[in-house]
Amino acid sequence: RFMLVRESDLDKTSSAFERHGGKAILIFHLIPGIGAFISIPAGIKRMPIRWTFLIYTILGSFLYNVAHVGLGWALGSQWTLVEQYEPIVKYAVLAALAGGIIWFVWHRWKERGL
């Protein structure tokens, strides 16, 4: 039904989430802007909200915040250094994401002969 996503891709993702669901939630909560999206496969797989999902979400959010507080504490008065290099890091991450998406789409189109 989808041009670039095969049923086998969904099956692999589903089985990986079943094996590593808690770890996936924890890791995805450590990635800025992505943490909210891990709730979708957790809901699809009907992961128990009360203990499993809640514990991994709290732990992931806690570690994310501890990392940021720790960075702030370590940088102290040199916070202007972060301001100086933040655009470089931001554009490097965006370029890597765009490159990955372009590679994926190109690879799938090439396989389909489009």
Side-chain angles (χ1 to χ4, degrees):
R1 185 172 137 189
F2 299 105
M3 268 181 102
L4 301 174
V5 179
R6 295 186 219 116
E7 189 172 341
S8 63
D9 294 331
L10 298 175
D11 292 338
K12 285 181 205 173
T13 304
S14 178
S15 65
F17 190 81
E18 285 179 20
R19 281 192 316 269
H20 308 289
K23 288 183 269 184
I25 290 170
L26 178 67
I27 291 168
F28 273 78
H29 274 291
L30 297 174
I31 303 170
I34 306 287
F37 294 112
I38 195 63
S39 303
I40 296 168
I44 290 171
K45 285 296 177 183
R46 304 222 183 262
M47 178 178 269
I49 292 173
R50 181 168 283 161
W51 298 113
T52 308
F53 182 75
L54 191 61
I55 288 171
Y56 283 112
T57 297
I58 289 170
L59 183 59
S61 299
F62 175 76
L63 291 173
Y64 180 80
N65 286 313
V66 165
H68 281 87
V69 169
L71 278 171
W73 182 80
L75 287 169
S77 64
Q78 298 206 356
W79 63 271
T80 55
L81 199 61
V82 174
E83 216 172 41
Q84 181 181 354
Y85 290 106
E86 183 266 335
I88 297 168
V89 172
K90 178 173 66 174
Y91 290 125
V93 168
L94 288 174
L97 285 172
I101 291 169
I102 290 168
W103 177 85
F104 176 79
V105 170
W106 176 76
H107 184 69
R108 288 296 166 98
W109 273 350
K110 189 176 166 186
E111 283 179 357
R112 290 183 148 236
L114 296 175

